[in-house]
């Protein structure tokens, strides 16, 4: 469903993504792990067109394009089918939790307000935030804000949801509630790519692990097998340090 081929990205003469191939199948939860600076965030940003890649091909469902020459229209089309949850919660401060989740529905999907409100409330309920629908982000904890951000990412009915360390800005006691929501989504068959330092989450919720180091994917495969017996010395050493 999501296929990336030969992705390359340099900053100046520093090549940080060195020709990587990524495959994400329908319903799969892919944990992307690896040392700091290995290019995990850059990879996600290239896939979501927040960063312009230097080379590569991307396919999402029936849409396929060269990642460099892709048109604005095609980018828009592909982004409509992706959800994003990043480290910083990025909610609109001047909108309530409900307003934040409704925004993609009324704006991008041009849904009428009543229908959007109903759907947004359903999504807030899913992440356990329906009781706080009328709160503004500033009145919510980090964990609550991140759960609203997850509801918002789901609003457009994406084919795949991309997460970049969704819990790393949270106090430890708030991490669990966000990971629980993510595990629930995983169990429901939501297709997810999750960059994470939470090995426990990767072990419990991921079907597949992508291990990155120094701009290269060294291993990509079934999660159980990876944790049981990584194939590369790099991955072994990385896991020992966790
Ligand atoms: N905008 C930028 N300009 C220049 N260099 C950048 C930029 N963004 C990232 N880099 C470099 O690209 C490399 C990969 O960074 P990236 O943020 O993708 O790593 P990461 O795997 O997400 O690390 P972490 O686990 O710490 O989040 C790093 O060497 C970083 O310094
Ligand atoms: Mg990162």
């Amino acid at each position: 469903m999501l296929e990336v081929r030969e992705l390359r990205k340099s900053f100046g003469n520093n090549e940080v993504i060195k020709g990587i191939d990524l495959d994400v199948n329908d319903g799969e939860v892919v944990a992307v792990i690896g040392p700091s600076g290995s290019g995990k965030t850059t990879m996600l940003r290239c896939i979501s067109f927040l960063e312009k890649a230097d080379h590569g091909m991307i396919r999402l469902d029936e849409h396929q394009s060269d990642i460099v020459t892709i048109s604005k229209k095609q980018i828009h089309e592909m982004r409509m089918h992706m959800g994003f949850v990043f480290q910083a919660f990025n909610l609109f401060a001047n909108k309530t939790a409900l307003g934040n989740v409704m925004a993609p529905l009324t704006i991008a999907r041009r849904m009428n307000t009543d229908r959007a409100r109903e759907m947004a409330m359903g999504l807030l309920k899913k992440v356990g935030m329906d009781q706080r629908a009328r709160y503004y982000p500033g009145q919510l904890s980090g964990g609550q804000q991140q759960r609203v951000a997850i509801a918002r990412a789901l609003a457009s009915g994406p084919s795949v949801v991309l997460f970049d360390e969704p819990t790393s800005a949270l106090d430890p006691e708030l991490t669990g509630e966000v990971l629980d929501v993510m595990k629930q989504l995983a169990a429901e068959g939501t297709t997810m790519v999750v960059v994470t330092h939470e090995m426990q989450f990767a072990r419990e919720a991921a079907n597949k692990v992508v291990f990155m180091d120094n701009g290269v994917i060294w291993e990509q495969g079934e999660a159980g097998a990876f944790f049981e017996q990584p194939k590369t010395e790099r991955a072994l050493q990385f896991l020992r340090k966790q």
Side-chain angles (χ1 to χ4, degrees), residues 8-143:
R8 292 182 185 277
K9 172 69 185 173
S10 298
F11 292 108
N13 12 353
N14 183 19
E15 190 176 43
V16 299
I17 302 288
K18 302 174 180 172
I20 66 178
D21 298 335
L22 178 74
D23 286 286
V24 181
N25 296 314
D26 202 5
E28 232 168 29
V29 178
V30 178
V32 181
I33 63 174
S36 182
S38 56
K40 305 181 298 296
T41 294
T42 306
M43 177 180 77
L44 277 199
R45 287 177 58 85
C46 287
I47 293 173
S48 50
F49 304 100
L50 296 172
E51 200 77 70
K52 195 147 179 55
D54 299 325
H55 181 86
M57 188 283 293
I58 184 166
R59 186 175 68 80
L60 182 61
D61 300 328
E62 72 278 17
H63 302 280
Q64 177 177 339
S65 179
D66 182 291
I67 206 164
V68 181
T69 58
I70 186 168
S71 69
K72 283 218 167 80
K73 186 163 171 278
Q74 282 174 300
I75 288 178
H76 179 73
E77 188 59 43
M78 277 202 197
R79 285 180 56 96
M80 289 274 280
H81 294 96
M82 296 177 179
F84 311 101
V85 181
F86 294 144
Q87 192 172 352
F89 319 124
N90 294 323
L91 294 173
F92 300 119
N94 62 342
K95 284 190 197 294
T96 61
L98 181 62
N100 268 280
V101 183
M102 283 175 69
L105 298 170
T106 53
I107 300 165
R109 300 269 150 179
R110 299 198 179 96
M111 198 179 270
N112 78 53
T113 314
D114 288 341
R115 176 87 188 86
R117 186 182 298 110
E118 190 184 327
M119 214 178 136
M121 280 306 294
L123 288 163
L124 286 171
K125 194 170 166 61
K126 199 183 188 55
V127 300
M129 287 297 295
D130 48 323
Q131 300 295 319
R132 297 272 193 282
R134 304 284 169 186
Y135 286 54
Y136 286 87
Q139 301 170 316
L140 298 171
S141 74

